[in-house]
């Protein structure tokens, strides 16, 4: 025997440590990858929440306003044009001057007026419109602070408070008001009750939320029946031939077509060819229907496929026709799976932005839409619009809107998961 | 009669016909001695008559609604005194103001042209006549066909077979929608692109290296030569997609390997859905995150390290965030594929003394490679077509560069910037967006086609 030549087991043993180290390294790579993914998720969520939490509160300033008819320039309260043109800003300004009687210089006074949002005037107009009796009375009310003031007050205790265009005097006034309790942080109702605005403190997501709701309604009403019908045809009726294959390939490809292409389709067909108006939820819903249809067809087919053939055979054996088998047995059993697919499709549609930009749902719309034919925008597009605005208060509101959007998506997906768990049957 | 009332009336009419036909079948059966003399259940007689009433009426309504707008517009235009002298855009404006005036006559005080006011009055008149004629025709169709069906109700009539046939045709029609959508996409994009290419040569578009769609309009010329060269856009798209894939492929693949081969079931049950949350976040949120958090961070970090001129809209930020979005896409596709590799292959490798990682690297991955490649191709097509992240985080300037720290633009960004806002539909600038859309559609379609084919072939291999 030649003792110089190493045996196989020696060779193996010599490399073993190295191979084990490689094994460890490989596992660590795996864990690191997953860790990276989860870390991104965590960073994304904390970033959004930390930026957006402030959007749900807003600072209000207490003012004692004197609704003096002379100051307002109202002689006849029943005259609507007088009511519309009255000098509400003047009254608000007077209230501010009364609060800070020491401020005398014109420039300073202008700065002082900047503490309060323009919405204060509209608020007074509303009050008088609803209750003309209030004319001549003295009211104590909480009005919205200006967005810069609000942002400063929120970041006051941070390491680097936001000062923006504010000067030291204004900051001093804000601090006085905060100390005396005449300026307080409250729940930001405006965010949920008003439409878009150029002024951050007056901007809300109600219009966008309703726009999203109408758009999704159109999408659901169209895509669910068509999707289910197509799935039933393909699973139960379609003969195995070239044409059926063609439809199947089509559906699979459509599921992977970029969403912006659907926007181009909507622009060319619905708006330019059929002459439908731009920016309305109806067209948005049509575009999103075409986009979510493949998702719904694919998941409905899976649900129908999971119903065992024995059910069909039993029903056929009892004399049911094909349509009766489908309507009375297959569809009810497949319904949970189809609904899950539909909810997931709707969640996709709710988060979609790009195709809606193409059909003009990106306009600046203050009015809250009342029907599927009114110009509207949707929540993701509102986020896109606000994210372009330079004001810091808009960044905060953008994050706030994102939180609302994510909350809806989480809700929808949770419902889908629960539905699946609750109703899923093992055959 | 407006559309909603008309539809409601039609529903009521169909319901009435359903009810009476059902009753008729029952009474006829009674005369013969019982329900078992009927060919079908009474329900089907009702449904048959209902379909006879509703389907023709709805078809008439649809056809009418497609054509009435165009016809009314043409009548209005012909009644205008100098319509033949106007260009198409002037005519469009004029029609717009007529429609506005007709919609609310009080609001536009500036309209002084008597021709417009007259035309608007005519339009209101025509609209009223149109709505009335439409309602009348639709309801007459409904009543006549419903009545015919009602008279045909008899015990021998094969009502169920008829209803089922209609039902099946409706199903077929629904599945045909998918084909219609594809045809619609191809036609809408192709048609506008052809108009674009009749102005700008294809070669200039595909090989040109200078992209500035704005200048072509300002000079009044129809597309200055070279301003529609799309190469910088293709390069930018590829750069950002490549960065995204650099992030997504290793992370997604390694996550999938770890989750399917190493992790125990409990960990997998928690981690997998959490990673998939990344895929469910709307892209506009990623765009916001990329533009406001990632891009400034990358910029200040790199400038701190010593790089100069880092763009605040760098390709790195957009691509990186897009990569994060695609991680779950890659990982779940690879997961499926890896799980489909039969265990006998692994056992064979262990039997030869390989460690787990060696088995994965030398046996499982090569066996799963076609499927993984297919998944990656799908991910690439996703990255190329992704819009919101790049719109918000990448730039608008069409730079031809491979430097990830510079700002580049992509095909999707340009489509959005060209089409958002109001502009004439016929300008080469707008049409260019459709040409870009055509390229995007063809590229993603090819990628998807190959990917789906590869994945399918691979699945068959182990089944």
């Amino acid at each position: 025997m030649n003792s110089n030549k190493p045996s196989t087991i020696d060779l193996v043993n010599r490399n073993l440590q190295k191979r084990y180290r490689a094994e460890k390294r490989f596992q660590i790579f795996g864990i690191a990858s997953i860790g990276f993914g989860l870390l991104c998720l965590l960073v994304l969520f904390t970033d959004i929440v930390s930026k957006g939490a402030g959007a749900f509160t807003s600072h209000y300033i207490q003012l004692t306003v004197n609704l003096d008819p002379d100051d307002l320039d109202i002689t006849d309260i029943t005259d609507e044009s007088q009511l519309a043109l009255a000098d509400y800003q003047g009254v608000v300004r007077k209230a501010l001057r009364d609060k800070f009687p020491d401020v005398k210089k014109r420039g300073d006074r202008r700065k002082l007026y900047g503490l309060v949002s323009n919405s204060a005037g509209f608020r007074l107009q509303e009050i008088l419109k609803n209750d003309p009796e209030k004319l001549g009375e003295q009211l104590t009310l909480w009005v919205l602070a200006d967005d810069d003031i609000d942002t400063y007050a929120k970041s006051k205790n941070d390491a680097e408070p936001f000062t923006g265009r504010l000067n030291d005097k204004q900051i001093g006034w804000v601090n006085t008001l905060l100390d005396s309790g005449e300026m307080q942080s409250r729940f930001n109702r405006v965010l949920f009750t008003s439409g878009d605005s150029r002024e951050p403190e007056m901007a809300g997501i109600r219009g966008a939320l309703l726009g999203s709701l109408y758009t999704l309604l159109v999408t659901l009403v169209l895509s669910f029946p068509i999707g289910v019908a197509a799935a039933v045809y393909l699973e139960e009726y379609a003969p195995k031939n070239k044409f059926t294959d063609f439809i199947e390939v089509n559906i699979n490809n459509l599921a992977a077509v970029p969403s912006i292409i659907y926007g181009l389709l909507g622009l060319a067909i619905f708006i330019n060819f059929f002459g439908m108006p731009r920016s309305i939820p109806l067209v948005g819903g049509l575009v999103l229907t075409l986009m979510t249809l493949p998702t719904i067809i694919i998941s409905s087919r899976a649900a129908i496929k999971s119903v065992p053939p024995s059910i069909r055979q039993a029903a056929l054996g009892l004399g049911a026709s094909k349509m009766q088998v489908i309507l009375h047995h297959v569809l009810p059993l497949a319904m949970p799976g189809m609904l899950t697919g539909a909810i997931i499709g709707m969640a996709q549609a709710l988060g979609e932005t790009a195709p809606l930009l193409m059909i003009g749902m990106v306009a600046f719309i203050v009015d809250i839409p009342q029907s599927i034919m009114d110009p509207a925008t949707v929540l993701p597009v509102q986020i896109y619009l606000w994210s372009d605005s330079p004001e810091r208060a808009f960044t905060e509101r953008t994050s706030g809107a994102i939180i609302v959007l994510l909350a809806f998506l989480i809700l929808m997906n949770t419902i889908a998961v629960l539905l699946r768990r609750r109703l899923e049957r093992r055959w | 009669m407006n559309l909603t009332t008309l539809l409601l009336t039609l529903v009521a009419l169909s319901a009435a016909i359903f009810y009476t036909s059902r009753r008729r079948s029952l009474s006829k059966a009674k005369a013969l001695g019982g329900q078992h003399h009927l060919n079908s259940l009474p329900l089907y007689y009702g449904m048959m008559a209902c379909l006879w009433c509703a389907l023709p009426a709805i078809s008439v309504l649809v056809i009418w609604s497609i054509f009435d707008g165009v016809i009314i517009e043409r009548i209005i235009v012909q009644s205008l005194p100098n319509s033949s002298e106007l260009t198409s855009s002037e005519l469009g404006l004029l029609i717009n103001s007529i429609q506005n005036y007709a919609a609310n006559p009080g609001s536009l005080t500036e309209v002084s042209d008597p021709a417009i006011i007259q035309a608007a009055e005519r339009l209101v008149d025509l609209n009223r006549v149109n709505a009335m004629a439409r309602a009348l025709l639709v309801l007459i169709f409904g009543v006549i066909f419903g009545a015919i069906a009602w008279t045909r109700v008899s015990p021998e009539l094969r009502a169920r077979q008829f209803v089922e046939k209609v039902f099946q045709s409706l199903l077929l029609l629904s599945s045909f929608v998918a084909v219609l959508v594809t045809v619609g996409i191809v036609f809408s994009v192709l048609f506008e692109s052809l108009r674009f290419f009749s102005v700008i040569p294809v070669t200039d578009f595909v090989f040109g290296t200078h992209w500035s769609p704005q200048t072509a309009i300002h000079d009044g010329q129809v597309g200055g030569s070279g301003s529609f060269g799309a190469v910088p856009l293709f390069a930018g798209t590829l750069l950002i997609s490549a960065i995204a894939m650099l992030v997504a492929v290793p992370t997604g693949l390694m996550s999938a390997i770890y989750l399917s081969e190493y992790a125990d079931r409990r960990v997998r049950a928690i981690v997998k859905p959490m990673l998939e949350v990344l895929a469910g976040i709307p892209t506009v949120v990623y765009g916001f995150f990329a533009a406001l958090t990632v891009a400034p961070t990358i910029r200040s970090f790199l400038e701190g390290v010593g790089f100069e001129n880092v763009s605040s809209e760098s390709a790195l930020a957009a691509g990186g965030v897009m990569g994060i979005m695609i991680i779950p896409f890659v990982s779940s596709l690879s997961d499926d594929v890896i799980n489909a590799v039969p265990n006998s292959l692994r056992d064979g490798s262990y039997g030869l003394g390989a460690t787990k990682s060696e088995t994965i690297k030398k046996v499982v991955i090569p066996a799963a490679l076609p499927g993984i490649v297919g998944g990656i191709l799908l991910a690439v097509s996703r990255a190329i077509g992704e819009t919101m992240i790049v719109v918000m985080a990448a730039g608008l300037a069409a730079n031809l560069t491979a430097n990830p720290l510079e700002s580049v633009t992509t095909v999707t960004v340009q489509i959005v910037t060209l089409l958002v806002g109001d502009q004439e539909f016929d300008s080469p600038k707008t049409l260019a967006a459709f040409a870009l859309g055509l390229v995007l559609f063809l590229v993603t379609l090819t990628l998807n086609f190959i990917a789906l084919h590869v994945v399918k072939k691979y699945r068959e291999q182990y089944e």
Side-chain angles (χ1 to χ4, degrees):
Chain A
M1 276 188 71
N2 191 342
S3 59
N4 288 338
K5 198 174 176 199
S7 65
T8 313
I9 189 71
D10 288 333
L11 275 173
V12 169
N13 280 337
R14 203 183 297 154
N15 278 331
L16 209 51
Q17 287 309 314
K18 214 171 115 195
R19 287 171 59 202
Y20 282 162
R21 278 201 301 277
E23 172 77 27
K24 265 256 144 51
R25 268 204 305 279
F26 192 72
Q27 276 201 44
I28 288 172
F29 278 139
I31 294 175
S33 300
I34 292 174
F36 176 74
L38 295 182
L39 184 74
C40 289
L41 189 65
L42 188 73
V43 170
L44 181 70
F45 270 90
T46 42
D47 181 57
I48 300 285
V49 170
S50 68
K51 276 199 183 115
F56 296 99
T57 59
S58 190
H59 278 88
Y60 286 76
I61 297 175
Q62 192 186 36
L63 279 187
T64 308
V65 190
N66 199 349
L67 289 175
D68 184 34
D70 295 338
D71 287 347
L72 283 170
D73 211 10
I74 297 180
T75 50
D76 177 14
I77 186 71
T78 50
D79 185 355
E80 283 204 11
S81 67
Q82 274 195 27
L83 208 54
L85 296 171
D87 187 14
Y88 300 104
Q89 290 304 339
V91 178
V92 173
R93 286 175 180 174
K94 195 167 173 221
L96 277 167
R97 283 200 301 274
D98 292 345
K99 208 177 253 306
F100 293 98
D102 307 338
V103 183
K104 294 279 192 234
K105 270 194 268 174
R106 272 185 71 184
D108 286 349
R109 279 199 171 160
R110 205 173 305 135
K111 288 278 175 202
L112 180 64
Y113 302 151
L115 288 186
V116 171
S117 153
N118 284 336
S119 67
F122 299 120
R123 180 95 187 275
L124 290 180
Q125 186 177 352
E126 198 109 301
I127 289 174
L128 274 185
K129 208 171 172 185
N130 293 335
D131 188 5
E133 300 281 295
K134 289 261 164 68
L135 188 68
E137 284 182 25
Q138 199 171 38
L139 296 177
T140 302
L141 36 99
W142 290 88
V143 297
L144 270 174
D146 185 69
D147 62 300
D148 279 348
I149 304 290
D150 181 49
T151 313
Y152 166 73
K154 276 175 189 159
S155 68
K156 200 165 90 82
N157 296 325
D158 293 357
E160 278 179 60
F162 165 87
T163 48
R165 287 166 298 177
L166 305 179
N167 66 13
D168 290 342
K169 275 193 184 139
Q170 280 177 304
I171 289 171
W173 296 327
V174 171
N175 286 334
T176 330
L177 287 173
L178 281 171
D179 291 341
S180 67
E182 284 169 292
M183 183 165 166
Q184 279 178 10
S185 169
R186 298 179 164 196
F187 178 68
N188 185 2
R189 269 187 51 219
V190 177
L191 187 67
F192 295 98
T193 53
S194 60
D196 199 3
S197 169
R198 297 273 185 233
E199 300 290 331
E201 74 273 9
M202 288 155 70
I205 56 171
R206 191 187 178 86
L209 269 180
L210 282 175
S212 276
L213 180 74
Y214 291 134
T215 311
L216 280 193
L217 270 181
V218 174
T219 311
L220 184 65
V221 164
L222 289 174
S223 67
F224 189 58
I226 298 180
V228 168
V232 168
Y233 179 79
L234 291 174
E235 280 302 313
E236 301 283 340
Y237 285 101
K240 274 258 160 269
N241 59 18
K242 282 261 163 64
F243 182 67
T244 310
D245 282 348
F246 176 63
I247 293 182
E248 266 190 53
V249 170
N250 249 307
I251 292 172
N252 286 334
N253 274 321
L254 282 181
V257 166
S259 61
I260 192 169
I261 299 283
Y262 287 98
L264 290 177
L265 170 77
L267 180 65
I269 302 243
F270 296 131
I271 293 185
N272 284 314
F273 187 70
F274 286 122
M276 290 181 174
R278 278 167 168 263
S279 315
I280 61 171
L282 178 65
V283 177
L286 281 172
V287 169
L288 292 182
T289 298
L290 302 185
M291 201 194 80
T292 47
L293 210 49
T295 317
I296 293 185
I297 295 178
I298 290 169
S299 64
S300 301
R301 285 187 71 178
I304 293 173
K305 220 181 256 171
S306 73
V307 175
S310 56
I311 303 253
R312 295 183 184 82
Q313 284 153 8
L316 284 172
L318 288 172
S321 70
K322 183 120 190 175
M323 177 174 136
Q324 287 166 334
V325 172
I326 292 166
L327 286 183
H328 300 171
H329 302 283
V330 177
L331 281 188
L333 290 173
M335 201 40 88
M338 293 180 176
L339 283 179
T340 315
I343 295 174
I344 289 169
M346 288 303 113
Q348 216 181 58
L350 175 60
E352 197 53 68
T353 322
L356 300 179
L357 298 183
M358 303 282 93
I359 56 154
M361 288 190 96
V362 64
F364 173 72
I365 292 157
V366 179
D367 294 331
I368 290 165
Q370 303 295 331
S371 76
I372 56 168
M373 300 299 283
D374 286 344
T377 184
V378 294
L379 202 47
V381 177
Q382 186 72 75
I383 290 168
Y384 167 65
L385 284 172
W386 279 355
S387 72
D388 253 3
S389 306
E391 289 96 338
R392 185 154 145 182
F394 264 130
T395 310
E396 189 179 84
R397 271 162 182 74
T398 314
S399 307
I402 289 177
I403 294 175
V404 175
L405 178 64
L406 289 179
F408 273 107
L409 288 176
I410 290 171
L411 183 74
M412 287 167 91
N413 282 304
T414 316
I415 292 175
V417 170
L418 289 181
L419 201 68
R420 184 162 16 187
R421 242 183 239 165
R422 198 69 189 278
L423 300 172
E424 196 177 52
R425 269 203 227 190
R426 295 250 166 236
W427 300 98
Chain B
M1 198 186 270
N2 69 23
L3 195 61
T4 323
T5 2
L6 177 58
L7 285 176
L8 284 178
T9 319
L10 194 59
V11 168
L13 182 67
S14 327
I17 283 178
F18 171 85
Y19 184 72
T20 48
S21 303
R22 188 172 165 275
R23 283 294 293 274
R24 189 174 153 90
S25 74
L26 275 173
S27 69
K28 286 215 164 175
K30 210 170 187 182
L32 289 172
Q35 211 185 319
H36 61 273
H37 287 286
L38 290 176
N39 169 282
S40 318
L41 292 170
L43 173 82
Y44 288 103
Y45 287 98
M47 251 156 70
M48 179 207 74
C50 182
L51 288 172
W52 267 101
C53 164
L55 289 182
I58 290 175
S59 331
V60 168
L61 180 62
V62 168
I63 294 170
W64 186 286
S65 306
I66 290 175
F67 292 108
D68 65 347
V70 184
I71 293 171
I72 289 179
E73 198 178 297
R74 192 150 299 164
I75 294 174
I76 292 289
V77 169
Q78 272 167 3
S79 76
L80 288 173
N82 49 358
S83 60
S84 52
E85 298 154 22
L86 297 172
T87 64
S88 66
S89 62
E90 279 172 333
L91 201 60
L93 271 177
L94 194 61
I95 288 170
N96 227 342
S97 61
I98 292 173
Q99 279 166 346
N100 281 337
Y101 189 81
N104 35 352
S107 69
L108 286 169
T109 42
E110 306 93 57
V111 176
S112 52
D113 189 351
I116 290 186
I117 295 175
Q118 213 175 5
E121 278 162 2
R122 218 185 134 91
L123 180 65
V124 173
D125 253 13
L126 278 174
N127 275 338
R128 206 178 49 231
V129 172
N130 173 44
M132 256 162 55
R134 180 180 68 184
L136 213 61
L137 193 69
V138 167
L139 291 180
I140 286 176
F141 258 77
V143 168
I144 290 180
F145 280 94
I148 291 176
W150 182 79
T151 54
R152 286 188 55 211
V153 170
S154 70
E156 297 83 44
L157 183 71
R158 292 157 64 82
R160 180 174 61 79
Q161 281 80 350
F162 173 79
V163 171
E164 295 193 346
K165 225 173 226 138
V166 173
F167 177 74
Q168 197 181 333
S169 329
L170 286 179
L171 294 183
L172 176 62
L173 213 64
S174 301
S175 66
F176 203 65
V177 169
V179 181
L180 277 185
V181 174
T182 313
V183 173
I185 290 178
V186 170
F187 268 83
S188 59
V189 177
L190 193 68
F191 188 63
E192 306 296 344
S193 303
L194 286 180
R195 283 170 64 191
F196 174 71
F197 290 130
S198 68
V199 182
I200 313 286
V202 184
T203 45
D204 284 6
F205 178 71
V206 179
F207 300 111
T209 55
H210 181 62
W211 175 267
S212 65
Q214 305 297 340
T215 54
I217 285 189
H218 281 298
D219 298 340
Q221 76 208 56
V222 184
S225 60
S227 12
F228 284 99
V231 170
L233 312 191
F234 300 151
T237 309
L238 285 182
L239 178 64
I240 288 186
S241 305
I243 295 170
M245 297 326 285
L246 276 181
V247 175
V249 170
T251 348
L253 196 54
M254 282 309 292
S255 307
I257 290 172
Y258 188 84
L259 284 177
S260 56
E261 299 283 330
Y262 288 100
D264 69 306
R265 275 184 42 207
R266 269 179 321 189
V267 175
R268 191 182 148 87
I270 298 170
V271 171
K272 206 173 173 223
M274 276 177 78
L275 273 184
E276 265 155 26
V277 169
L278 281 175
I281 294 174
T283 51
V284 70
V285 178
Y286 280 112
F288 179 73
F289 181 62
L292 269 90
T293 306
V294 177
T297 313
I298 287 180
R299 189 180 174 183
S300 59
F301 173 74
L302 287 178
E303 285 185 340
V305 175
F307 284 95
E308 280 170 21
N309 298 329
V310 181
S311 165
S312 61
E313 292 175 326
S314 62
L316 194 58
V321 172
M322 195 191 281
I324 295 173
M325 184 191 80
I326 296 176
I327 290 174
F329 200 72
V330 175
S331 88
S332 66
L333 282 172
S334 323
D335 201 28
D336 290 350
V337 174
I338 290 170
N339 278 330
V341 174
N343 263 334
S344 56
L345 291 186
R346 293 188 185 85
D347 295 342
S349 170
Y350 294 146
L352 289 173
T355 63
K356 205 158 185 172
S357 64
E358 283 162 356
T359 307
I360 293 165
K361 277 188 277 195
K362 305 236 162 82
V363 178
V364 177
I365 297 292
L369 200 60
I372 293 175
V373 170
I376 291 175
L377 284 183
L378 280 180
V380 171
S381 106
R382 216 147 192 229
I384 290 176
E386 172 46 46
T387 310
M388 288 323 289
I389 295 178
V390 280
V391 165
M392 292 165 85
L396 288 175
N399 295 325
L400 189 54
T401 173
N403 180 359
L405 304 181
E406 270 188 61
S407 154
V408 293
T409 191
T410 72
V411 172
T412 49
V413 172
Q414 288 305 317
I415 295 178
V416 170
T417 33
L418 290 175
L419 285 182
V420 168
D422 292 319
Q423 64 276 96
E424 284 174 61
F425 198 65
D426 289 336
S427 72
K429 188 180 143 193
T430 330
L431 293 177
F434 284 90
L436 289 174
L438 179 67
V439 173
L440 184 63
F441 181 65
L442 289 181
V443 170
T444 50
L445 192 71
T446 317
L447 281 174
N448 295 336
F449 203 76
I450 298 171
L452 291 174
H453 189 72
V454 168
V455 171
K456 201 173 155 203
K457 270 270 132 58
Y458 165 77
R459 288 234 174 91
E460 282 163 4
Q461 193 183 333
Y462 289 118
E463 259 168 15

